[in-house]
Amino acid sequence: MALRAQKIALHPTEEQVEAFNLHVQFARAAYNAAHADWNADRRNSLYDLKKIFNSRKREVFPEFAACSQNAGKNAIHSFGDAIARYKSGQNGAPKRKTHKSAPAFQIDNGVNTVKMTEDGKHVVLPIIGNVRLHEPPRWTGEVRRAFVKRIAHRWYLSILVDVDVPEPPDTSALPAAGCDVGISALATMDDGTVYENPRALRVNERKLRRANKALARKTFLSRNWWKAKERLARLHARIANVRTDAHHQVTHRILQGISALGIESLTVKGLMKNRKLSKALADASLGGFLVKLKYKAVWRGIRIVSADKFWPSTQRCSSCGDVKRGEFKLTLKDREYHCGICGLVEDRDVNAAINLRQLASSTEESQNACGDAVTPTLVGWHQNPRVRGRSRKPLTEQRLVDFAQVSR
Ligand SMILES: [Zn+2]
């Protein structure tokens, strides 16, 4: 059993939208009530907070009497989670929800209390009733949790489903591949296939500027201000959608017909500190891309072999294994790799991708009889840059394995 999530767009009627909005307010009010009760006396447990809220809700919040009580209860539960994170030191103290908080509420009352209709066209929500789904749910199984939320103008149902997962297919007969992830192209494969980056933010930068300016010129909270605000929110949502869609399509294509994939372990956080790169990087959202690549690989029985941070995938010749050092190093401007030893001329990213493929396939051969992946052995010399500069040995295939961090 495993949990799978899906976000499905909804087509609610006008009355249902009204009900959604009321539930959002109810969830927020319950959360804030629990917040106030906890701040009044921090010895209150989650159970106490729920009891206090339930004893008072009828007189304090008569306007929410028609709402499903699940929305309020779940909001207090999520406040309990926030407290747990606060106590473990993961977060700061929880803050009150305001009109700026994400418009969302959790509607289920435990396992399988929210169900889809037989034909898969509607979801049956407590109190609110049957709401039409934009597409049928992808997973069948027990619905563990169900959330309703709004992003820009659209309402969504987010479900967490407990599904029986079939064993991933046996891919051992298939070849390995390498993939160089970057900004100019989202992914470059070892066979030369290039997946472009949609650069959703950059394409829509002018539109965003205009929408932001339009909003700033309107009278705050006026009718036209709300209209301008929605236009801006829709644009932001569209940018995010274009990006996610590209990620899903590219990761799907990359993971066809392979057994292992070599990638670089990117330190996006570190790269974001570079001001010249940070905007383009954030637009590419490489972190999100790698997350999708990794979970899809697990589903399809594909090993992801991520190269160590110091693995010179760009500087190594994919043909003879020579590594460029010092003044001979490729800079960001050099788009082609010229090898001075064997004369190889190759596109910079393709060369890196081939290196990563060799890394992925070399770890495959060194798997032991039980099929367990080898534990990555991190040799000391390449972790220390000073010592690294002194090494003259070319990185041959036998030594590639030292750099591999095998997932799964
Ligand atoms: Zn060479």
Side-chain angles (χ1 to χ4, degrees):
M1 296 300 244
L3 294 178
R4 294 281 156 88
Q6 192 185 0
K7 190 171 84 181
I8 311 169
L10 295 171
H11 293 293
T13 62
E14 266 174 46
E15 292 93 69
Q16 284 170 342
V17 170
E18 251 168 57
F20 284 168
N21 281 322
L22 198 63
H23 276 80
V24 167
Q25 287 173 34
F26 180 41
R28 189 197 299 156
Y31 188 97
N32 288 343
H35 184 273
D37 292 337
W38 182 70
N39 272 316
D41 183 358
R42 294 209 167 184
R43 282 168 302 177
N44 278 332
S45 66
L46 177 60
Y47 177 76
D48 296 330
L49 293 174
K50 259 166 45 175
K51 222 164 88 175
I52 299 170
F53 179 73
N54 284 330
S55 67
R56 283 208 299 238
K57 67 184 174 192
R58 272 181 202 84
E59 37 181 311
V60 184
F61 304 115
E63 66 271 37
F64 301 130
C67 287
S68 161
Q69 296 311 301
N70 303 345
K73 185 195 71 177
N74 289 323
I76 298 178
H77 278 213
S78 84
F79 180 72
D81 290 342
I83 295 292
R85 285 197 299 275
Y86 170 57
K87 284 186 175 166
S88 71
Q90 191 189 329
N91 287 99
K95 289 181 187 154
R96 282 172 61 83
K97 299 249 186 240
T98 69
H99 67 285
K100 285 183 181 170
S101 308
F105 59 94
Q106 189 183 344
I107 190 72
D108 64 281
N109 188 23
V111 177
N112 248 354
T113 48
V114 165
K115 285 182 180 167
M116 313 294 154
T117 51
E118 290 277 303
D119 57 4
K121 285 183 178 166
H122 293 80
V123 58
V124 188
L125 296 177
I127 305 283
I128 298 165
N130 290 18
V131 185
R132 194 155 70 86
L133 298 170
H134 184 69
E135 56 183 342
R138 194 172 301 149
W139 320 109
T140 47
E142 287 185 342
V143 177
R144 286 292 185 88
R145 288 178 191 183
F147 299 83
V148 176
K149 59 179 167 183
R150 180 172 61 80
I151 298 170
H153 61 299
R154 229 169 173 196
W155 288 91
Y156 293 89
L157 174 77
S158 276
I159 45 171
L160 203 59
V161 188
D162 204 355
V163 285
D164 275 321
V165 184
E167 275 291 299
D170 181 28
T171 54
S172 52
L174 296 166
C179 165
D180 183 68
V181 179
I183 301 166
S184 52
L186 188 56
T188 308
M189 302 302 293
D190 55 296
D191 61 1
T193 318
V194 179
Y195 296 103
E196 292 298 334
N197 206 331
R199 297 195 191 198
L201 183 66
R202 206 170 135 183
V203 169
N204 288 295
E205 228 165 14
R206 281 169 63 99
K207 278 189 190 169
L208 263 182
R209 266 173 67 91
R210 222 175 297 145
N212 267 313
K213 268 191 200 167
L215 179 65
R217 288 196 190 109
K218 304 285 185 290
T219 315
F220 186 52
L221 296 184
S222 66
R223 246 164 207 276
N224 282 330
W225 181 85
W226 281 109
K227 277 190 215 158
K229 196 172 162 62
E230 195 195 307
R231 232 168 273 143
L232 179 64
R234 285 173 82 139
L235 193 53
H236 274 297
R238 179 170 164 73
I239 291 169
N241 286 346
V242 167
R243 202 179 275 147
T244 324
D245 181 53
H247 286 181
H248 277 301
Q249 291 197 24
V250 173
T251 47
H252 175 82
R253 278 181 215 164
I254 286 177
L255 295 171
Q256 297 290 319
I258 57 168
S259 62
L261 183 71
I263 56 169
E264 256 177 309
S265 51
L266 289 172
T267 46
V268 177
K269 246 187 190 171
L271 289 169
M272 283 297 279
K273 283 180 192 150
N274 183 336
R275 285 178 153 217
K276 282 183 186 163
L277 286 178
S278 58
K279 197 174 190 178
L281 258 176
D283 194 5
S285 164
L286 296 181
F289 177 74
L290 291 178
V291 166
K292 290 180 193 78
L293 199 63
K294 280 172 188 167
Y295 79 72
K296 286 185 185 179
V298 173
W299 292 0
R300 294 168 196 197
I302 296 164
R303 284 175 319 114
I304 294 279
V305 181
S306 54
D308 182 279
K309 238 199 320 196
F310 297 106
W311 156 246
S313 60
T314 312
Q315 307 299 339
R316 181 185 181 269
C317 170
S318 58
S319 160
C320 69
D322 180 58
V323 177
K324 287 187 186 292
R325 288 172 206 287
E327 59 191 297
F328 301 109
K329 268 191 166 180
L330 254 70
T331 60
L332 275 173
K333 268 182 281 173
D334 301 323
R335 295 314 307 167
E336 255 180 6
Y337 189 100
H338 293 261
C339 182
I341 309 289
C342 70
L344 173 90
V345 179
E346 185 63 272
D347 178 82
R348 166 211 181 88
D349 295 335
V350 175
N351 178 59
I354 297 172
N355 278 325
L356 290 162
R357 182 195 68 207
Q358 291 172 0
L359 182 73
S361 53
S362 65
T363 53
E364 199 157 19
E365 286 147 22
S366 56
Q367 280 188 327
N368 67 23
C370 309
D372 287 335
V374 269
T375 7
T377 46
L378 294 170
V379 265
W381 67 269
H382 70 274
Q383 287 184 313
N384 184 335
R386 265 187 309 144
V387 186
R388 188 165 54 120
R390 245 184 270 146
S391 169
R392 294 262 162 225
K393 284 182 192 164
L395 284 156
T396 51
E397 289 225 4
Q398 286 77 45
R399 301 192 63 217
L400 285 176
V401 70
D402 295 339
F403 289 94
Q405 292 174 347
V406 184
S407 69
R408 294 210 300 132

